[in-house]
Amino acid sequence: MSAGIHHATRLGLTGGIGSGKSTVARMLVELGAALVDADQIARELTGAGGAAMADIARTFGADFLDATGALDRPRMREHAFAHPAARQQLEAIVHPLVGRVSEERVQAALAAGHRLVVQDIPLLIESGHWPRQLSAVLVVDCRESTQISRVVARSALTPAAVQAIMASQASRQQRRAGADIVLYNDGLSLPALQAQVRLVAQRFGL
């Protein structure tokens, strides 16, 4: 554990698809942490009437909006995988807004007296922006074969589709290298995972 981590108030949480990151986030909240979920904020911003939608419609056209005026996520996902420049355009619209709303919610949680604010950030390692704002980084890690089997079991995605998503994310090695704490979530029962999360929470005064 790095010096000073026990004084941290902002814990970055990340992990690849199927790592169990969302489960760990929920357990930390149950132990008293506040959660700021970047993915949830992005969904709000790209929902009907969301703050990102006018720029998205202007950049990509009405074909990428669904009947409610929200982002047509499956269509955009397919387009962004096929055209990396489109993904960069979308991120240039959405990411600054996510950052601003995240910061507002972090400050509100700190002002409300939360000792620990967990920032769930899927692209934390890929971003040069987030780590500078965080007191520490927690990475939820597991084998790639485990990621694939978990996501296939819970969704309509094929193994090849899951592998394509994984290929677009940071590698396990990159995530682990950027971590202050690695929680290895492979072959653990839920009670065993809860025990690991409780140890992490104790390091932050919860």
Side-chain angles (χ1 to χ4, degrees):
M1 182 168 84
S2 302
I5 285 182
H6 59 287
H7 297 304
T9 51
R10 298 172 66 146
L11 176 63
L13 172 65
T14 196
I17 186 171
S19 64
K21 174 176 62 67
S22 298
T23 301
V24 169
R26 187 175 69 247
M27 290 175 175
L28 285 166
V29 169
E30 288 168 357
L31 292 167
L35 177 65
V36 176
D37 184 337
D39 248 2
Q40 177 59 39
I41 292 169
R43 281 192 289 273
E44 292 170 19
L45 292 167
T46 57
M53 289 313 302
D55 277 348
I56 288 173
R58 207 164 24 243
T59 302
F60 295 98
D63 287 349
F64 286 91
L65 277 59
D66 66 17
T68 70
L71 177 66
D72 186 334
R73 294 173 73 86
R75 182 166 192 167
M76 179 59 80
R77 190 180 302 119
E78 191 176 311
H79 182 65
F81 268 124
H83 303 90
R87 178 177 174 176
Q88 290 169 356
Q89 285 178 298
L90 180 65
E91 289 175 350
I93 295 169
V94 176
H95 285 187
L97 291 170
V98 171
R100 193 166 73 225
V101 175
S102 294
E103 189 60 25
E104 290 169 359
R105 294 187 183 178
V106 167
Q107 293 306 323
L110 294 174
H114 283 279
R115 186 174 296 182
L116 177 64
V117 180
V118 175
Q119 291 184 245
D120 183 340
I121 307 167
L123 298 177
L124 191 160
I125 301 301
E126 293 87 337
S127 166
H129 161 76
W130 288 110
R132 293 195 300 271
Q133 301 188 13
L134 301 167
S135 308
V137 173
L138 169 62
V139 168
V140 184
D141 181 48
C142 66
R143 291 174 298 167
E144 292 178 357
S145 58
T146 301
Q147 290 179 256
I148 294 168
S149 61
R150 283 175 179 163
V151 178
V152 168
R154 75 184 188 206
S155 72
L157 294 173
T158 64
V162 179
Q163 286 174 310
I165 293 170
M166 289 165 58
S168 73
Q169 299 180 333
S171 68
R172 282 185 70 193
Q173 291 75 17
Q174 288 169 322
R175 274 193 294 268
R176 291 173 69 97
D180 295 291
I181 306 166
V182 176
L183 198 165
Y184 186 62
N185 179 30
D186 211 318
L188 294 181
S189 65
L190 271 180
L193 179 60
Q194 281 177 314
Q196 292 290 322
V197 172
R198 200 171 294 114
L199 288 174
V200 171
Q202 286 170 358
R203 292 164 72 162
F204 296 94
L206 295 185

